[in-house]
Amino acid sequence: MTSTRQGDETQFSRAIHEGILMDQTILPDKRAEFGNLFAAFFKSYPMSEEGQRHTKLYLQGRESGRKHFEALVTKTARDGDVTDEVLLHLLPHANNSGNRDKQAWIHVAPAVTKDLKSWFEGAGWTSPKDWPSISSAILSFVQRCVDDPDQLADACAAFAELPYSKGFQSGMLSPILNAIRPAEYLLINNKSRKVLNYFCGADFRYSLEDYPAANELAKKLVADVKEEIDDHKSDSELPVSDYFDMFSHWLVGVQKYAFTRPKYWKVSPGRDAKNWDSCRDGNFIAMGWSELGDLSGLGRSDYEQRRDKLVAENSDWTKQGANQAWVFSRIKEGDQIVANRGTHEVLGFGTVSGPYYYVEGEEHAHRIPVNWDDISARGIEENGWRKTIIKLDHDKFETLLKAPPKGEGPQVPPEHMNPIYSLTMLTEETGLDEPLLQRWINALERKGQAIIYGPPGTGKTFIAEHMVKHIIGGGDGFSEIVQFHPAYAYEDFMQGIRPQTTKDGQLRYPVVPGRFLDFCERATKRQGRCVLIVDEINRANLSRVFGELMYLLEYRNRAVPLAGGGELNVPQNVRLIGTMNTADRSIALVDHALRRRFAFLALYPDYDILTAYHEGTGINIEGLANMLKKLNKVIADRHYEVGITYFLREDLHEQIEDIWQMEIEPYLDEYFFDQPDKAKQFRWEAVKELIAL
């Protein structure tokens, strides 16, 4: 195969797509996707600074792992008890000061992020008396697999049956096998498992029992792409198999790749869309063939028996027509729905928000909950749209999104349309619960303006920016951000005199629109939502900055004259989102007149978000989460709690000491300025062993 070393990624992608490679490993409908990603990986990551560091860690970890194993085999024959050495030297540890001090085996794919014994005993998986037996079982398992790779499946099954095997998964035991025999054993951890499951249609769990099958599939995939890897890796000492692990790390840990791809469905809400109003207002999509009854939990054969009976009883029924209800009932949460009226009009785009359900007694009883992301009618020409439900591909869905809206007003060029950012996508990227986010968006729509408030480090601006992506998605609106500060004035925000020099050198003093007036003027030329984010909104004198806007925030349908001339009315499509750090100024100190004009959305530290984020990094943050809970309990004021965004970093195990000493400790010194003993108990030296990343 021709090399793609010069950066031409098309040949490899084309080879994948045409099935030249991976006929038995990669699913046919994912070959092009894999090829594009694999080529992009080689083009951007291995030769980058981070990629080179990654490469060195493989080589260093493998060399030290082999030495550890050989030394343990020798020492076992001589001394017998090697409990501590096995736990420290055969299991992959994170690269932190505590593990380095203990001379543990540092590995590029760490599974042990803190003291193993206290971790497992605290979880109730083991007791202190178990450790000699556990270490003996680990060493026996490794020796058995190293001596005879054909024994892998039996060895994994035997180890998994031990009463103290809980917690020892493939990510913990495969690294030492890979270090000793890399050609036989690949690294299978959470990242590589996700890649195999998605691209190969597998369903591997993290358990050791699934490791043999996952290892075989990964070896076959690597063999299929070996030629391409050899072309790219040049003179690197890295085994071919390590590139699969590096690709998995890049895809999951660096790119944050979304493995769950939605399916796209065109569904007509009744003949001539007669149910559209009900579907739109009730947040669902519905289908007929109600005589089939509830299809929840029904197997295919049972469904077909029910269908065939009804087809025989109803002369106007066909199996093909009735099967549409079956397909409809299997639509999944996160899939995208296009509601249409005939072949010439799209009525809305929505995201499936829950499982299929059945409403007894309704003409269109089969239903799926949908959050309608965009209900702008669009003109189309789709003469093939005769069925109630049709599966669409991604390109068709994107084309429909770009169709110009119908109705009065200027037509929106497709290039001005914002991509749909569904509520499900918003939930996945922010980590907040979907019902909570929906309530926040409803509150913003009800009031027209909202303030996200909370202590530092909770991600207020991040949440606001992602909410805006959802709000303007599918329309031609836009968003901007402005940051308030103590010197921010009415003239900056509304309007004011600005000296200007003319061409002949004369000074003139025109009244110039401020940031908000200019924003409103541009919003009048758009049909979609336009959102202005005011970051740190409480750092300015709001009554002075807003001026006449204070009145209009409450009476949106009116206009008021401005002090500098002209008048202002806030366009109906304008929304305001403020962010407010409660450590700077309590919400209780905000002017009451302003408070009643805004919806206030509380955002406090969410430790589940911290845990979910680090599931993809392999860093165990249980100790850190517990320490933050303890710290915030001592702070004892929700407005001043320490948030979790300080610790949402891929390289947290390397940066945690600096983050704690340079960002957390100064904050605590200020907060506990009159109680130094409270700050002292949270110094890095006092907490580092408990955090133990």
Side-chain angles (χ1 to χ4, degrees), residues 37 39 54 121 202 214 223 273 283 288 351 425 440 450 466 513 539 575 608 614 652 673 684-685:
L37 289 168
H54 214 96
E121 290 170 15
N283 287 318
T351 304
M425 296 166 69
W440 283 12
H466 283 69
R539 292 178 65 81
R575 300 291 181 267
D608 290 340
H614 284 292
L652 183 61
F673 74 96
W684 175 249
E685 291 302 319

Side-chain angles (χ1 to χ4, degrees), residues 447-666:
K447 299 288 288 187
Q449 48 274 339
I451 290 177
I452 302 174
Y453 71 96
T458 47
K460 296 177 288 295
T461 305
F462 177 85
I463 299 295
E465 290 175 334
H466 283 69
M467 281 178 62
V468 166
K469 288 171 63 178
H470 172 70
I471 293 165
I472 70 174
D476 68 332
F478 62 94
S479 67
E480 291 182 357
I481 186 168
V482 57
Q483 186 172 53
F484 278 6
H485 50 77
Y488 211 82
Y490 174 90
E491 291 78 10
D492 301 310
F493 196 63
M494 299 297 289
Q495 65 174 200
I497 294 174
R498 291 287 184 267
Q500 294 180 0
T501 304
T502 63
K503 291 182 179 179
D504 58 2
Q506 299 296 312
L507 274 176
R508 52 190 298 267
Y509 299 90
V511 176
V512 176
R515 189 69 179 270
F516 184 69
L517 254 65
D518 177 68
F519 184 89
C520 289
E521 175 63 26
R522 287 180 287 124
T524 61
K525 301 173 183 177
R526 303 294 180 97
Q527 298 174 2
R529 291 281 183 267
C530 299
V531 187
L532 180 64
I533 299 175
V534 183
D535 202 30
E536 305 284 5
I537 192 171
N538 55 316
R539 292 178 65 81
N541 186 326
L542 297 182
S543 297
R544 183 175 297 173
V545 171
F546 280 177
E548 298 89 348
L549 182 59
M550 288 286 286
Y551 176 82
L552 292 177
L553 289 178
E554 189 165 11
Y555 302 103
R556 282 282 191 126
N557 58 341
R558 302 183 186 180
V560 297
L562 296 172
E567 66 174 23
L568 169 67
N569 71 303
V570 180
Q572 291 300 312
N573 62 337
V574 166
R575 300 291 181 267
L576 284 173
I577 299 179
T579 67
M580 176 177 167
N581 188 339
T582 53
D584 291 331
R585 184 184 184 194
S586 169
I587 187 175
L589 300 179
V590 177
D591 181 84
H592 181 74
L594 185 75
R595 288 173 63 187
R596 76 168 187 264
R597 286 163 167 81
F598 282 81
F600 280 81
L601 317 175
L603 186 63
Y604 296 110
D606 189 330
Y607 308 104
D608 290 340
I609 293 177
L610 180 65
T611 301
Y613 177 88
H614 284 292
E615 284 180 355
T617 67
I619 300 174
N620 188 310
I621 49 78
E622 182 181 356
L624 173 61
N626 289 335
M627 181 55 61
L628 288 176
K629 292 175 185 177
K630 179 181 178 181
L631 170 59
N632 287 330
K633 188 174 181 179
V634 172
I635 289 174
D637 187 333
R638 298 201 76 183
H639 296 317
Y640 292 89
E641 290 182 348
V642 174
I644 52 100
T645 61
Y646 297 100
F647 311 103
L648 300 182
R649 297 181 58 95
E650 290 276 337
D651 58 349
L652 183 61
H653 60 284
E654 299 173 2
Q655 301 292 337
I656 181 63
E657 182 174 353
D658 288 346
I659 292 171
W660 198 271
Q661 291 184 329
M662 300 177 189
E663 299 178 53
I664 306 303
E665 288 185 12

